[in-house]
Amino acid sequence: MSEPRAVVRTLACERKPYVAGFAHWRSIGRPELPEMDPILSFDEFEFSAPAAFLDHPHRGFENVTYMLEGGVSYHDFSGHKGTINEGDVQWLTAGRGVVHAEVPAGNGVQRGINIWVNLSANDKMVEPRYQGLASHGIPAAATGDGGVSVKVIAGECLGARSPLRPRTPALCLDVALRPGARLRQPVPREWSACAYVIGGEAVFGDASAGARTLVVFGADGDGVDVRAKDGLAAAAGARVMLVAARPHGEAVVRDGPFVMNTREEVEQAREDFRRRRNGFEMADGWTSDHAVPPPPCADTLGVDGI
């Protein structure tokens, strides 16, 4: 990295209840920052009973769930089921169609990060694909002095490379920095890039950001420079999620669980789901293990899910 990117804006995130038992801190996907091509949304979330995102569809994007505490259980219409536990990641390419349910995996509050990454027009109707890594299977790396440790969810950092292959090329890192420690991470020049401070206080060039703050980087430069504040007031260091992805430069029409390029394509997705066709055939007569009427979260076409 020869030229670190400048910070062009910061957004402090507030806890927003969604339904009873579910709340999020939304950074990307809110009025001030509707999207950051190709990143459609970025949430830290809390999930507990009675909340449950029961059987609902998706089409046209990739859904990334990374658990910070607790777990989320899921079940889809093709038989995929399991639990994303603390430290695990699931990278779901919804493509032409997935119908699934997501519920808290245990008692108390489950906490994690959820990111929606858009698919290009050429990839909107690809076959769905699940990629997952348990916490112990996510490649880890550290600087020689141990000041920086990284879990490489997608992409490469400090010589470690993730086996996950997102359909939209992306970088996703969980970075822990001791007080005063620094990471200089290369990022391709044409990619959109941001960082979310999970905890502590981090410094990006001349800008500092505390917990639950999103930092947006400008387009100029070939990397990101981040360090944790030092001194007695910053004894805990910082934890930062760095995300970057290659933009598509295409129109985006998003409506609930569908993300397409035109309004007509969104309406087609809704009609395909209703008629159980063009990718939604397996939804005909299917209900998840978690489906218990009445659903706490609206109808299946009105809920986003996580």
Side-chain angles (χ1 to χ4, degrees), residues 64 98 106 126 156 159 200 219:
V64 185
V98 163
V126 297
E156 184 175 0

Side-chain angles (χ1 to χ4, degrees), residues 213-228:
T213 300
L214 182 84
V215 175
V216 179
F217 300 101
D220 294 333
D222 61 354
V224 169
D225 188 348
V226 54
R227 66 177 175 86

Side-chain angles (χ1 to χ4, degrees), residues 182-221:
R182 165 173 278 162
L183 174 69
R184 294 168 63 86
Q185 172 63 32
V187 175
R189 286 183 178 273
E190 68 274 18
W191 288 20
S192 300
C194 62
Y196 180 77
V197 182
I198 297 172
E201 189 163 2
V203 179
F204 307 86
D206 296 329
S208 63
R212 291 176 172 144
T213 300
L214 182 84
V215 175
V216 179
F217 300 101
D220 294 333

